Amino acid sequence: MSTYRVAQVAAAGGTFEIIERDVPRPGPRHVRVAVEACGICHSDTLFVNGAVPGLTFPVVAGHEIAGRVDELGEGADEYGWQVGDRVTVGWFGGSCGHCKQCRQGDFIVCQNLKVPGWAYDGGFGEMMIAPVDALARIPEALSAADAGPMACAGVTTYNGLRRSSARAGDLVAVLGIGGLGHLGVRFATAMGFETVAIARGADKADFAKQLGAHHYVDSTADTSVAEALQSLGGARAVLATASNSAAISSTVDGLASRGELIVIGGAPESLDINPTQLLMSAKIVRGHPSGTAQDVQDTLEFSALHGIRPMTETVPLDQVDEAYRRMLSGAARFRMVLTTG
């Protein structure tokens, strides 16, 4: 094959178009990945709309990539990779290795983090080039369409929970049961937490229980979210996946003493939290980024062990623009995934 297809956006806010390009060769410590599936994340809008610095168009988005190693660049084999290996590449698309954070081993907050679709072409295509430190190995139990979303949505929720102060048996709440939250509930129950799902409307209660939640809180009910959580003893942790600052803020008073609010849902508005809410009970509010390639691999292995899969709608690459618009509309249930087969 001398050419391959990609879905690119030629200008900020534009529509996707399928074009052919010459097949690239991987450089030193890089591999070429034959993409089999790539999830469409809401964060892709940052790149499609040109909302981040240093972006150049045309843009090939996509950072929930699953496929196989197709060719090794010089030195890539020294890292244990071989042609044919099943791999994912997520939001963590490699680090610089020389900034202070990298020198401290905290690679996910690298000052020069390489995000696919921003630092280099992402997975909305049949092939892509990635550095070896971005690769995570896919267990045989997971399909490519399942593994791709786990490299961003999956690892973000899994890591947010496992790095919290909560321990098995503690009350943990997941705010929102959409693209991130439906995985958060599954992970929380598998980790042994007494799990509360929080969403809008009584009609979502059955779905929350299907995901494994022990309790459901309707955020539109007369009883406030905070009161509902306190009636259960107070949450050791709240994983806020909803992109709604008011909804996130409403959970703070539902935390137990020394409980923590873990924010992973992005929203432009400020949180409405005052110092008094935090001081007397020593509550914590923190943001949580995604996870390194090793974190992704941990997520994939945990998911395979516990039978956790994302809920997806798969569509062929040719329908990328329709799939992207469906994600934007909120109609996706819950992850749109492009396939190349």
Side-chain angles (χ1 to χ4, degrees), residues 65-83:
I65 304 152
R68 296 181 183 270
V69 174
D70 186 61
E71 184 177 345
L72 301 173
E74 180 184 352
D77 58 337
E78 298 174 7
Y79 294 83
W81 298 107
Q82 300 179 7
V83 171

Side-chain angles (χ1 to χ4, degrees), residues 1 15 22 92 139 152 192 229 262 269 298 308-309:
M1 180 187 294
T15 57
D22 292 335
F92 179 84
C152 180
L229 291 177
I262 307 154
E269 300 81 17
D298 292 346
I308 297 172
R309 305 291 187 272

Side-chain angles (χ1 to χ4, degrees), residues 158-172:
Y158 175 77
N159 244 10
L161 289 168
R162 74 165 173 171
R163 298 190 187 283
S164 75
S165 60
R167 297 295 179 263
D170 285 344
L171 189 77
V172 169

Side-chain angles (χ1 to χ4, degrees), residues 240-302:
T241 74
S243 298
N244 183 310
S245 294
I248 295 171
S249 302
S250 72
T251 66
V252 172
D253 287 337
L255 292 169
S257 297
R258 300 194 181 278
E260 60 182 312
L261 170 62
I262 307 154
V263 180
I264 63 174
E269 300 81 17
S270 299
L271 296 177
D272 184 13
I273 301 171
N274 67 65
T276 304
Q277 290 176 276
L278 307 178
L279 287 171
M280 299 304 292
S281 298
K283 295 171 182 175
I284 299 166
V285 179
R286 67 180 177 90
H288 175 77
S290 180
T292 65
Q294 183 59 57
D295 293 324
V296 173
Q297 192 158 320
D298 292 346
T299 304
L300 295 171
E301 291 171 354
F302 186 90

Side-chain angles (χ1 to χ4, degrees), residues 208-226:
K209 297 297 177 64
Q210 290 169 20
L211 292 173
H214 303 98
H215 311 280
Y216 177 71
V217 172
D218 173 9
S219 62
T220 66
D222 292 338
T223 301
S224 73
V225 169

Side-chain angles (χ1 to χ4, degrees), residues 124-212:
F124 288 7
E126 295 172 332
M127 293 183 178
M128 55 91 66
I129 303 290
V132 291
D133 64 329
L135 304 177
R137 198 176 299 276
I138 302 174
E140 285 305 314
L142 296 182
S143 69
D146 288 335
M150 290 297 190
C152 180
V155 69
T156 303
T157 52
Y158 175 77
N159 244 10
L161 289 168
R162 74 165 173 171
R163 298 190 187 283
S164 75
S165 60
R167 297 295 179 263
D170 285 344
L171 189 77
V172 169
V174 178
L175 174 65
I177 50 175
L180 292 169
H182 84 284
L183 290 170
V185 172
R186 296 292 307 279
F187 285 134
T189 56
M191 290 177 182
F193 301 137
E194 183 180 353
T195 304
V196 184
I198 307 169
R200 292 178 59 84
D203 58 318
K204 295 184 176 68
D206 287 344
F207 176 59
K209 297 297 177 64
Q210 290 169 20
L211 292 173

